[in-house]
Amino acid sequence: MRRAGQALLVLWAAFTASYVLLHLLPGDAILIKFQNPELGLSPEQIAQIRQAYGSDGPAAYLHTLLGFLRGDFGYSIDTGTPVVERLAEALPETAKLAGLGFAVAIVLAVGIAFTPWLRELPSLFVAIPVFWVGILLIQLFSFRLKLVPVIGGSEWQQLILPVLTLAVPICAPIAQVLARGIDHAATQPFVQVVAAKGASRRWILWRHVARNAMLPALTMAGLTFGELIAGSVVTETVFGRNGVGRLTEQAVSSQDTPVLLAVVVLAATVFVLVNLIVDLLFPILDPRLRS
């Protein structure tokens, strides 16, 4: 219950900070879209439009907050459609990309952590920008090796390079923490006790060392999961995919504050829920935490 209360506080803080910062940005999306002489709108009509979008008046913050609590994210300034509809159209593609990217990142992290001669790779992966990874993969696998088509191809072929682009930077911190956990757990006295009983090295590694090293890596995985939204913005832009990332890029270009606010709250909600799930998994993975 304490963690759930903290999660609600984090969501409220994310909403408030985003609302304030977005309304402090220079420029006015309402004027950019509607103060066109060809539209023939008077200042009074523009004021009514501003009020309809909930972007005017001292009670706008409370009105927007109550709307979010009801699941009403308002209307997009750019298209005039409900924000919920725009998110519903974009979310499935991003969820597919993020889920596959996270799964591949876990596989890569485990492979790197349990392979000593690969442990230098995470430092390189952390230093490489996401957009550069995408461009490099396109150049290598599409243009030179001609293994994955950039244009056309099946739905799964179109997912290969975006998933790898998203997974490479995310797997790096998980692999680093998991490798340190393996090295630390391997020096504990229980390893010597199990070895003295005749257990094989492989049995010790996977049944005892890996289980104890998994706990900090699980925490890091929960933290890096929040980076999937930020990574998807760049990845979907590089590969031209229609998802929440592409929607965010378009909203930034048009200063569509209702859409941007909804995306920030969505990302914060996913981040909070994943970390709550990680907290629930800790007692399952670590018998010392069971009551």
Side-chain angles (χ1 to χ4, degrees), residues 102-258:
F102 189 71
V104 173
I106 296 297
V107 173
L108 291 176
V110 172
I112 292 172
F114 283 93
T115 308
W117 56 275
L118 293 178
R119 289 190 176 184
E120 299 299 326
L121 289 179
S123 300
L124 176 63
F125 290 166
V126 170
I128 299 178
V130 176
F131 74 91
W132 194 84
V133 175
I135 295 174
L136 180 64
L137 291 177
I138 292 174
Q139 289 287 340
L140 178 61
F141 291 100
S142 297
F143 295 157
R144 293 190 176 274
L145 300 179
K146 301 185 183 302
L147 296 176
V148 182
V150 178
I151 301 176
S154 65
E155 180 181 356
W156 291 106
Q157 285 179 326
Q158 294 177 2
L159 276 171
I160 293 174
L161 296 185
V163 166
L164 287 176
T165 301
L166 195 59
V168 166
I170 294 176
C171 78
I174 303 175
Q176 288 177 326
V177 173
L178 183 58
R180 294 194 188 108
I182 292 172
D183 294 340
H184 175 73
T187 61
Q188 298 303 305
F190 70 85
V191 174
Q192 299 177 2
V193 173
V194 176
K197 293 182 178 180
S200 65
R201 183 176 180 179
R202 184 183 299 272
W203 175 272
I204 295 173
L205 178 63
W206 291 105
R207 295 286 297 180
H208 298 278
V209 174
R211 183 172 183 177
N212 285 271
M214 191 183 302
L215 296 177
L218 181 63
T219 303
M220 180 56 66
L223 294 174
T224 56
F225 193 89
E227 299 179 8
L228 289 173
I229 297 296
S232 66
V233 173
V234 180
T235 303
E236 291 176 354
T237 302
V238 170
F239 291 93
R241 297 183 60 84
N242 293 321
V244 175
R246 189 71 177 273
L247 177 64
T248 304
E249 185 265 334
Q250 295 172 353
V252 170
S253 300
S254 60
Q255 294 187 349
D256 199 343
T257 52

